[in-house]
Amino acid sequence: MRSTSEMIRRKRDGGELDREEIRAFLAGVVSRSVPDYQTAAMLMAIYFRGMAEEELAEFTAAMIDSGDRLDITTPTPKVDKHSTGGVGDKVSICLAPLVAACGVTVPMMSGRGLGHTGGTLDKLESIPGFRTSLSPAEFAATVRSCGAVIAGQSERIVPADKILYALRDTTATVASIPLISSSIMSKKLAEGLDALVLDIKVGSGAFMETVDRARELARSMARIGESHGTRVRAYLTRMDQPLGFEVGNANEIEEAITLLRGKGPPDLLQLVKVLGSAMLAEAGIEDGPTRLENAIQSGSGLARLERLIEAQGGDPSVVEQPDTLPRAAHSRRLRADREGYVVSIQAKEIGLAAMGLGAGRQTVDDAIDHSAGITLSAKVGDAVSYGDLLATLRFNASRNVETAAARVAAAFRIEAVAPHPWPLILDEIG
């Protein structure tokens, strides 16, 4: 067995690590017998040299085995969905209850926002009392009682990932496809899934800014799933403007509820139906769009969300009374300074503006203001006249409002000629 320094050297020089070396290294990471400086050196070596397909599969397996697996036995197939993160992405909050209402078990392990992208857990914590931190037993019990759960990663689920991710964030090695793939897939495979649907965001508001890079990531995760006996289907979806009209936390919960009432924005509804239909198909259920639409029109998806909120300690009355969600004390309206068509809205700038208002965090320790956020009144392709409302900023603290307002104003590009329609779904893999 090579020493840790020898393993780092081998990977630095383009070599492959074998199963025993990978497991010894990650065991040392978790036990802290491998110091952070050596772990950081290995991450940098992987960042530059990558990992072979079999090597990455072994690395992911060792990540999973660094902790506990969830033990969830259900009579229906277990299918989850993962998004690589975007602006205004409240899909999971709509999707999990809808797919569960159609007869599929959805054990959804979600994350928090960082930087310009929002996090599902932060949004759900807008609901008074909602618990996103569940023990493995509570996670399994909620799945069995509701057919779905949306919670965070517990301390004993893939502990190696928590350590590696913290170091990746501080060593500029986040944007490594092998490290992204193993991080995401280790957590998902620990759920004991039958299938996984991936939403790989592409564009100015995504971590993957090109289709080629996104496609490479999707294929990497699909190969890992295949090596572990889990079916993976991936969609590349456009993230050049925010999804829906709301960006923030409490306001995104309200928009998700609006969609489940049959009145959601068209782009959000389209994505929910595409991803939901894929999840149903992976569970052997056909005619997904019709089934999902029926779950919306009958109210069964909304009722399932209400059950999930109550099971996780939240106040279920927000489903019928969303105006009880946190509300910001102040607002500021931004209006068009010319006539024309909205040809682009820079999603990243909208996300950064929302973060500046308090809706996001720059570090994992920052507090979230769940009432802060931005409401868009125009989307790409809309015709606007001088003075028409483009967006409304919602905030409590006024110190960053001018900066946020300038970001939002600059994010909107208005021209005389209407843009060509943008496809929301760019590709399907798997």
Side-chain angles (χ1 to χ4, degrees):
M1 176 71 69
R2 296 182 180 90
S3 67
T4 302
S5 60
E6 289 172 330
M7 285 189 272
I8 294 169
R9 185 182 303 113
R10 181 174 176 80
K11 177 49 62 181
R12 180 201 67 189
D13 294 340
E16 294 180 25
L17 303 178
D18 62 30
R19 183 179 188 276
E20 289 71 25
E21 289 170 331
I22 289 169
R23 289 184 174 270
F25 172 72
L26 288 175
V29 168
V30 173
S31 69
R32 296 295 190 174
S33 62
V34 173
D36 282 355
Y37 61 83
Q38 285 191 312
T39 305
M42 180 65 84
L43 292 172
M44 191 63 75
I46 293 171
Y47 180 88
F48 282 112
R49 291 297 190 173
M51 300 186 94
E53 185 175 331
E54 185 176 339
E55 185 184 21
L56 181 55
E58 290 288 357
F59 191 83
T60 306
M63 295 258 288
I64 298 168
D65 291 341
S66 70
D68 299 334
R69 294 174 186 254
L70 290 168
D71 181 16
I72 305 171
T73 303
T74 62
T76 58
K78 298 185 289 292
V79 185
D80 194 2
K81 162 260 174 189
H82 177 81
S83 167
T84 55
V87 180
D89 184 3
K90 70 282 296 177
V91 168
S92 292
I93 298 157
C94 314
L95 194 61
L98 276 175
V99 174
C102 293
V104 177
T105 300
V106 186
M108 192 170 281
M109 200 178 293
S110 296
R112 299 193 179 278
L114 186 62
H116 73 278
T117 63
T120 298
L121 300 184
D122 299 318
K123 295 166 191 177
L124 286 168
E125 286 176 349
S126 303
I127 301 170
F130 193 97
R131 295 175 57 228
T132 59
S133 180
L134 303 178
S135 70
E138 290 172 323
F139 190 99
T142 304
V143 167
R144 293 190 187 103
S145 65
C146 297
V149 63
I150 308 177
Q153 177 184 0
S154 73
E155 291 297 324
R156 285 299 307 158
I157 301 297
V158 199
D161 177 65
K162 288 192 172 185
I163 298 168
L164 293 184
Y165 191 86
L167 286 171
R168 285 169 58 206
D169 195 38
T170 58
T171 57
T173 55
V174 169
S176 159
I177 284 179
L179 295 175
I180 294 171
S181 301
S182 59
S183 175
I184 293 170
M185 294 302 294
S186 61
K187 294 190 286 285
K188 294 301 181 182
L189 293 171
E191 298 173 352
L193 297 175
D194 295 297
L196 173 65
V197 173
L198 297 170
D199 178 9
I200 312 293
K201 302 292 189 188
V202 186
S204 65
F207 290 115
M208 296 288 139
E209 295 191 0
T210 68
V211 170
D212 287 346
R213 183 91 169 147
R215 192 176 285 120
E216 183 183 354
L217 176 62
R219 288 173 176 161
S220 174
M221 288 193 280
R223 287 193 296 268
I224 292 173
E226 182 181 355
S227 71
H228 288 265
T230 299
R231 300 184 303 278
V232 177
R233 188 186 303 198
Y235 290 87
L236 275 54
T237 68
R238 190 179 292 277
M239 179 41 67
D240 284 312
Q241 68 170 332
L243 188 62
F245 292 100
E246 301 291 347
V247 178
N249 293 285
N251 56 333
E252 289 199 41
I253 293 289
E254 187 166 357
E255 187 166 54
I257 292 170
T258 299
L259 182 135
L260 292 174
R261 290 190 182 283
K263 301 177 182 177
D267 57 346
L268 178 61
L269 179 61
Q270 180 188 355
L271 189 53
V272 165
K273 285 188 174 180
V274 167
L275 298 175
S277 296
M279 293 173 73
L280 293 177
E282 291 296 340
I285 300 174
E286 300 302 326
D287 200 18
T290 299
R291 288 176 180 270
L292 292 164
E293 183 62 31
N294 288 341
I296 292 172
Q297 296 303 324
S298 69
S300 61
L302 192 66
R304 193 66 63 116
L305 175 63
E306 191 171 12
R307 282 173 56 187
L308 187 149
I309 291 171
E310 187 169 21
Q312 293 189 229
D315 180 0
S317 70
V318 299
V319 171
E320 296 299 329
Q321 299 173 300
D323 57 353
T324 60
L325 289 162
R327 289 284 191 270
H330 308 289
S331 64
R332 177 166 174 177
R333 294 174 175 83
L334 300 179
R335 300 184 180 277
D337 61 1
R338 72 194 74 180
E339 181 179 308
Y341 296 89
V342 178
V343 297
S344 67
I345 305 172
Q346 292 296 314
K348 185 174 182 178
E349 291 302 303
I350 300 294
L352 289 170
M355 182 180 73
L357 295 173
R361 56 169 66 84
Q362 292 178 302
T363 72
V364 293
D365 297 321
D366 286 349
I368 291 280
D369 180 351
H370 292 102
S371 66
I374 297 169
T375 301
L376 303 181
S377 295
K379 297 289 292 281
V380 171
D382 289 349
V384 295
S385 299
Y386 177 84
D388 281 356
L389 184 63
L390 297 179
T392 303
L393 280 57
R394 307 186 189 284
F395 57 93
N396 291 305
S398 60
R399 63 183 182 277
N400 295 320
V401 173
E402 293 303 323
T403 300
R407 278 192 183 279
V408 174
F412 279 84
R413 185 170 148 218
I414 300 172
E415 294 186 355
V417 179
H420 292 294
W422 289 359
L424 182 60
I425 311 301
L426 300 173
D427 199 3
E428 178 184 351
I429 296 169

